[in-house]
Amino acid sequence: MVIRVEHPLHERRRGRNRGLGLILVGFVAIVFGLTVVKVLQLGDVSHLQAFDHSFRPGLIPIEEPLE
Amino acid sequence: MSDTSLESPLVQDAELGDYFALLKPRVMSLVVFTALAGLVAAPVQVHPYIAFVAILCIAVGAGASGALNMWWDADIDARMRRTAKRPIPAGKVAPSEALGLGLTLSGFSIVLLWLATNAMAAILLAFTIFFYAVIYSMWLKRATPQNIVIGGAAGAFPPVIGWVVATGSLSIEAALMFALIFMWTPPHFWALALFVRSDYGDAGVPMLTETHGRQATRRHILIYSLALAPVAVGIGFTSIGGPVYLAASLILNARFLWWALAVWRRDEAQAEADGYATEKRLFRISLSYLFFHFGALMVESLMRARDLGVALPW
C-alpha cells in the first residue's frame, strides 16, 4: 500500500521548485535571445568565414584578369 | 526526517515569494524607472531587446544588493516593528540563504550586463552593489547620522548605468542625473522619518531625527531642498533637457521648496496637532517630484526622436 501524506511543506517546496524551474527556463530564453540579437547585429557574417582546418576553394578571392 | 524538524520554529521552509521579498521589489521598481530614463535620455539608440536585458540586469543587481542588505541587517530588522516581518527575522529564510542569493544574483547580473552591453556598465553595476551592501549597510548605516546622505549614492547610480549602457561612457548629463537623486534622497527620507515613529534608536541606528533632534532635521530638509533645485533645473540646460523638462522642473521645484519651507517653519507641537499633515504632504510630493523629472526627460528624448524637440538658444 502506498502511503501518501501531503504536508504543507511539500506544497511549499513544489511551488518553489516550479518557480525555480521557470526562472531557469527564462534565463536560458534570455541568453538565447541575446545571442540571436548579437549575431544579427553583426550584419553580413560572410566576412567572418575562414578555412577552418580544411581547404575551401570557394573562399579564395577571385582575381580580376589584367587587361 | 522527523516531524519536529519539519516544523522547526527557527527557519521554516520558504516559499518563492519569500525569496522575492529579499530583493526589495518596491526599491527595484524605482531602480527600473530611473535606469530606463537614463537609457532613453541617452543620445544613442539601443536595440529594444538589449535595453530590456540591461534593465533586467540592473533590477536584479539592485535586488541582489537588497538581499545582501537584509542578510547583514537581520539583527536590527528583528528589533524594529517596520522590518520585523522581513523573511530573515520572520524565520522564513536562513541568513546564509539570503547571502547566497545576494552573491549569486550579483554575479549573474554583472556578467550578463557585461555580455549584453559593455564593461563600463557592468563595472558601475558592481560598484553600486558594493556601495549599497558594504559602504552603506555594513559601514555607514550604523556609524553616522549622515547615513542616508552618503548611502543615497547607491540609489543614484541606476540612471547613470542606463546612460552608460547606451553610450559606453560618462558625461555631464549622467553626472547631473546622479546628482538629482543624490540630493533628493535626504529630504525624501527625512520627511518620512519625521512622521513615522521609528525605533531606529532602539536598534542602534543613528538617524538624524534621533541624534540631532527633529528641529535640526527640518532645517536639513530645507537646506538639501535648496541645494537640490539648481541641480534639477540645471539638467534642463544640457543636451537632454528642453522646454518641457524646464517647465516641469521649475513647477516641481517651486512646489517642493514651498512645502520644505512649510516643514521648516513648524515645530513638533504644530506637527502633532494635525497628525504631521505637512510632513506627509512633502513626502508624497517628493515621490511625484522624482517621477515627473525623469518622466520629462523621457518625453524630451521621445520628442527629439520624432523631430518635435525645440532647440533652446544655448
Side-chain angles (χ1 to χ4, degrees):
Chain A
M1 189 179 77
V2 180
I3 300 171
R4 289 180 185 276
V5 180
E6 277 291 317
H7 191 278
L9 178 144
H10 297 122
E11 284 175 33
R12 282 199 297 272
R13 284 193 177 165
R14 191 178 299 125
R16 210 168 69 179
N17 293 339
R18 279 180 186 161
L20 184 62
L22 284 174
I23 288 167
L24 290 174
V25 170
F27 179 68
V28 170
I30 284 168
V31 174
F32 179 70
L34 192 61
T35 310
V36 171
V37 170
K38 288 276 182 185
V39 170
L40 289 177
Q41 279 186 334
L42 293 172
D44 181 16
V45 293
S46 61
H47 65 280
L48 296 176
Q49 289 189 75
F51 285 103
D52 192 24
H53 304 296
S54 61
F55 180 69
R56 292 165 66 187
L59 291 178
I60 299 170
I62 300 165
E63 288 180 16
E64 294 289 326
L66 291 171
E67 290 188 12
Chain B
M1 191 184 280
S2 70
D3 273 348
T4 48
S5 65
L6 290 174
E7 299 291 346
S8 168
L10 289 174
V11 177
Q12 302 160 7
D13 229 33
E15 291 179 36
L16 196 68
D18 297 319
Y19 293 105
F20 187 61
L22 283 175
L23 308 183
K24 299 193 176 181
R26 285 176 69 184
V27 176
M28 277 168 77
S29 62
L30 179 69
V31 166
V32 166
F33 178 68
T34 55
L36 182 68
L39 206 152
V40 171
V44 181
Q45 278 211 326
V46 182
H47 189 285
Y49 187 77
I50 291 183
F52 161 73
V53 174
I55 297 292
L56 186 71
C57 288
I58 297 168
V60 171
S65 63
L68 293 172
N69 167 271
M70 284 204 202
W71 161 70
W72 182 259
D73 280 346
D75 58 333
I76 55 176
D77 282 350
R79 276 182 271 163
M80 295 195 291
R81 281 188 305 278
R82 186 176 66 85
T83 53
K85 288 181 181 169
R86 283 180 174 175
I88 299 175
K92 290 176 179 170
V93 176
S96 57
E97 280 188 301
L99 174 64
L101 184 74
L103 291 175
T104 307
L105 291 184
S106 297
F108 267 87
S109 58
I110 292 164
V111 172
L112 193 59
L113 186 63
W114 184 15
L115 293 173
T117 63
N118 55 67
M120 189 154 182
I123 290 167
L124 275 173
L125 181 62
F127 183 72
T128 306
I129 296 169
F130 170 79
F131 196 94
Y132 187 68
V134 178
I135 307 284
Y136 171 69
S137 302
M138 296 184 186
W139 179 28
L140 295 171
K141 188 173 177 179
R142 303 178 197 221
T144 166
Q146 296 295 316
N147 45 20
I148 289 299
V149 180
I150 309 163
F157 273 111
V160 182
I161 303 173
W163 179 275
V164 173
V165 160
T167 65
S169 62
L170 291 168
S171 68
I172 184 70
E173 290 86 354
L176 283 172
M177 284 192 286
F178 175 92
L180 176 62
I181 302 180
F182 184 72
M183 299 304 293
W184 165 89
T185 306
H188 165 74
F189 269 105
W190 285 330
L192 178 72
L194 280 175
F195 67 82
V196 172
R197 285 281 172 195
S198 71
D199 25 23
Y200 278 113
D202 300 334
V205 179
M207 288 299 280
L208 192 70
T209 42
E210 309 208 12
T211 58
H212 289 66
R214 304 172 79 79
Q215 212 55 41
T217 306
R218 292 171 189 282
R219 195 169 59 249
H220 274 72
I221 287 174
L222 181 62
I223 292 167
Y224 274 92
S225 303
L226 286 167
L228 169 66
V231 172
V233 176
I235 294 175
F237 297 93
T238 66
S239 69
I240 56 172
V244 172
Y245 176 87
L246 263 180
S249 185
L250 284 170
I251 295 167
L252 291 166
N253 279 284
R255 193 171 69 140
F256 196 80
L257 277 172
W258 174 267
W259 286 99
L261 205 65
V263 166
W264 173 67
R265 280 192 183 137
R266 281 150 67 90
D267 56 24
E268 275 308 292
Q270 287 172 302
E272 277 180 15
D274 65 3
Y276 292 90
T278 309
E279 290 77 6
K280 286 176 183 171
R281 184 72 192 266
L282 179 65
F283 177 73
R284 279 201 305 274
I285 282 173
S286 73
L287 291 171
S288 59
Y289 176 93
L290 202 66
F291 177 80
F292 285 122
H293 267 100
F294 280 100
L297 284 178
M298 288 199 269
V299 169
E300 287 284 2
S301 177
L302 294 174
M303 284 171 63
R304 274 194 300 276
R306 283 164 178 71
D307 288 331
L308 297 170
V310 179
L312 292 170
W314 44 82

